[in-house]
Amino acid sequence: MAITTLLIATAALKSAGHTGSAGMISAICIGTIICITAAVASDISQDLKTGYIIGATPRNQQIGELIGCVVSAVAVGGIMYLLDAAWGFGSKELPAPQATLMRLIVEGVMGDTLPWIFVLVGVSIAICIEILGIPVLPVAIGVYLPIHLSVPVFLGGLIREFFDKKDEDGKAITEKGVLYTSGLIAGEGLVGILLAVCAIIPLANGKTLLQAINMGGILGNTGGVIFFVLLLASIVFFTRNKKKNA
């Protein structure tokens, strides 16, 4: 929805004479509003469903949703400033592929440099994939995300597919796996914030606290692969069903 909105909004602004930096900023703002609206709507629909299951009243749920939206907006705004101060968006440490994609679309439409033939080919391929009954979103995400993000997503999908097809217990294992990996996602976010804080704390020798720690330089690529394999093993270990004693 965000990409479609960007294409339509940017084209509309350009046709109305709003070009240059002001027009591109306006298009990004419109796309951002639509993106956040869709994300919040999806989250609230899941929250209301969960609340209904556990017997929560609609009034209390709406109060909770409003508090959550306000608090998260303030918190996320501060975190964005922190990340930009630590590494800067678009850098090697913080590539922000989604933001880069949005920038390319807006600049391409405004500057008449967007290869529309590729967009139309992508739309056609997506329609064909959907007709075949294959979800197209994972395919699209896997194309534009960096390989170091696509590979973990792919391997995680293989683990889930294995347990989904295992037997009747596979569903229970998958549900536990979703909870476990959700915790991993939350933990990764917290660690990312902690690393950003370390990246802006200066030391007496001119380095930052993060540069002084430099775990990546100590472990290297081999150490990273070993830890990743251990992480996959932990997913299997902590989520599989335990056999009951006779």
Side-chain angles (χ1 to χ4, degrees):
M1 292 181 65
I3 300 302
T4 304
T5 301
L6 277 178
L7 289 170
I8 297 175
T10 307
L13 288 170
K14 182 182 178 181
S15 64
H18 300 285
T19 58
S21 298
M24 290 189 285
I25 293 174
S26 299
I28 289 292
C29 289
I30 294 173
T32 301
I33 292 172
I34 297 300
C35 185
I36 294 176
T37 301
V40 172
S42 175
D43 176 74
I44 290 178
S45 67
Q46 296 297 319
D47 292 344
L48 294 177
K49 176 182 177 181
T50 304
Y52 174 79
I53 293 174
I54 63 176
T57 61
R59 180 178 182 276
N60 290 335
Q61 283 186 275
Q62 291 299 326
I63 293 175
E65 295 293 346
L66 290 174
I67 295 174
C69 287
V70 173
V71 173
S72 62
V74 175
V76 170
I79 292 172
M80 292 296 102
Y81 277 107
L82 173 63
L83 294 175
D84 187 56
W87 297 296
F89 292 106
S91 62
K92 180 181 178 181
E93 293 80 8
L94 197 64
Q98 295 91 340
T100 301
L101 176 63
M102 295 173 71
R103 176 183 63 83
L104 291 174
I105 290 175
V106 173
E107 290 181 347
V109 174
M110 284 292 183
D112 290 327
T113 58
L114 185 67
W116 286 100
I117 184 63
F118 292 147
V119 176
L120 296 176
V121 169
V123 171
S124 302
I125 293 176
I127 293 174
C128 294
I129 293 177
E130 288 289 345
I131 292 175
L132 293 175
I134 303 174
V136 71
L137 185 59
V139 177
I141 292 176
V143 170
Y144 79 85
L145 283 183
I147 189 66
H148 65 271
L149 295 179
S150 299
V151 171
V153 171
F154 174 71
L155 294 179
L158 289 180
I159 293 176
R160 172 164 183 165
E161 182 69 12
F162 171 77
F163 284 114
D164 277 344
K165 293 184 176 180
K166 186 178 180 181
D167 50 25
E168 294 182 356
D169 294 333
K171 181 179 179 181
I173 296 176
T174 299
E175 291 176 351
K176 293 168 65 176
V178 169
L179 293 175
Y180 180 73
T181 51
S182 297
L184 292 178
I185 295 173
E188 189 274 339
L190 294 175
V191 171
I193 296 173
L194 178 60
L195 292 177
V197 172
C198 293
I200 63 174
I201 297 178
L203 299 179
N205 57 3
K207 294 184 177 181
T208 63
L209 179 58
L210 183 62
Q211 291 173 334
I213 298 173
N214 193 20
M215 290 298 294
I218 297 174
L219 296 176
N221 292 333
T222 303
V225 172
I226 293 174
F227 271 93
F228 181 64
V229 172
L230 292 176
L231 177 64
L232 295 178
S234 72
I235 295 176
V236 177
F237 177 79
F238 287 111
T239 60
R240 64 183 180 182
N241 282 339
K242 304 295 184 180
K243 292 183 178 180
K244 296 181 180 179
N245 295 326

